[in-house]
Amino acid sequence: LGTSVTTNDRNERPSSSSRWSFGLERQITPTLAIEANYVGQSGSRIPTGSSGNGYSAPSVNENTRALNFLPPQYLSLGSELFKTVPNPFYGLILAGPESLKTISEAQLLQTYPEFTGVGDQRQPGGSSTYHSLQVTATKRMSRGLSMLSTYTFSKLIDRYRYINPSDPGPSRMIGEYDAPQRVTVGGSYELPFGRGRAFGWKHGAAGELVSGWSCGLNGLFQD
């Protein structure tokens, strides 16, 4: 009493995830291919947690739901919540604010006033869904040039955070790691100099020096 406590589900089952995809590939030229895929994923039994502390609720994280909070119907009391009254726990609880002679009305009106915080850890009630269109263009090496470009259009939806501690269930929201659009470009070009190339010295030390060079390009855009 007078401290924070956390519960754990002894019968907790691990989270599960399912992933599926299908797509088409087309050879445009002997060295250029285009591929388009739909990729989806769903997760279940994800541990739930509270996004914020709520009013006088304990410090929590993504895997812990705060169970000790001020019910919303009392928020209309406004500044009255900060008033102190005689503490009914005085002499019974020997630690924390509940051990003082007076206590705030807000503390007494919480769901578990005898504790500073109550958390339910790793309650497996969350879920997530992911859908995406993934397009890839591959140009195999020809005339010294090769390239790989990808474009992904996706949406990640999470449902495992309690926005308010008093909510009956986790809220459906855009995922924290949602990246609706992502473009990557990578390629290399063998410089046409030296032995077996169109330009430059082809023999001797000079030929060795200018042969075998290539330049690369890598880029990423994410929104």
Side-chain angles (χ1 to χ4, degrees):
L1 298 178
T3 61
S4 295
V5 295
T6 302
T7 66
N8 291 276
D9 184 1
R10 295 185 178 183
N11 299 315
E12 176 191 356
R13 297 174 60 192
S15 302
S16 67
S17 177
S18 300
R19 184 180 177 91
W20 58 91
S21 66
F22 63 86
L24 300 171
E25 184 176 4
R26 176 74 175 179
Q27 191 78 24
I28 306 299
T29 70
T31 60
L32 177 63
I34 302 294
E35 184 178 355
N37 292 281
Y38 161 74
V39 179
Q41 183 170 333
S42 67
S44 61
R45 297 196 300 271
I46 298 175
T48 58
S50 298
S51 296
N53 293 339
Y55 188 89
S56 299
S59 178
V60 294
N61 56 48
E62 291 293 331
N63 292 326
T64 304
R65 180 190 177 191
L67 299 181
N68 190 24
F69 55 86
L70 184 70
Q73 63 265 30
Y74 298 127
L75 295 177
S76 60
L77 295 175
S79 59
E80 292 290 328
L81 295 170
F82 297 98
K83 289 185 177 181
T84 57
V85 296
N87 183 8
F89 299 122
Y90 181 68
L92 301 176
I93 298 178
L94 304 179
E98 291 88 348
S99 65
L100 304 177
K101 290 185 177 180
T102 59
I103 193 171
S104 68
E105 289 191 23
Q107 179 66 33
L108 290 179
L109 292 175
Q110 290 192 46
T111 51
Y112 296 95
E114 67 273 24
F115 297 103
T116 56
V118 178
D120 187 3
Q121 192 173 46
R122 300 190 63 81
Q123 183 185 63
S127 62
S128 68
T129 56
Y130 173 81
H131 301 281
S132 69
L133 170 66
Q134 302 178 10
V135 180
T136 303
T138 305
K139 184 186 184 306
R140 291 191 290 271
M141 178 71 71
S142 65
R143 297 184 179 181
L145 177 65
S146 65
M147 295 193 70
L148 175 65
S149 302
T150 66
Y151 170 71
T152 302
F153 178 73
S154 63
K155 181 67 68 177
L156 173 63
I157 301 294
D158 290 339
R159 189 169 185 173
Y160 56 83
R161 297 182 185 89
Y162 286 82
I163 299 299
N164 300 299
S166 58
D167 289 346
S171 298
R172 184 177 184 272
M173 62 182 67
I174 300 297
E176 181 179 357
Y177 300 104
D178 177 62
Q181 299 192 73
R182 178 186 175 94
V183 178
T184 63
V185 179
S188 66
Y189 178 65
E190 294 182 349
L191 300 180
F193 304 112
R195 294 181 178 180
R197 300 292 188 263
F199 306 103
W201 298 271
K202 297 179 172 55
H203 306 285
E208 293 292 338
L209 181 63
V210 300
S211 297
W213 291 90
S214 64
C215 61
L217 169 68
N218 290 284
L220 168 65
F221 171 79
Q222 184 169 291
D223 183 15

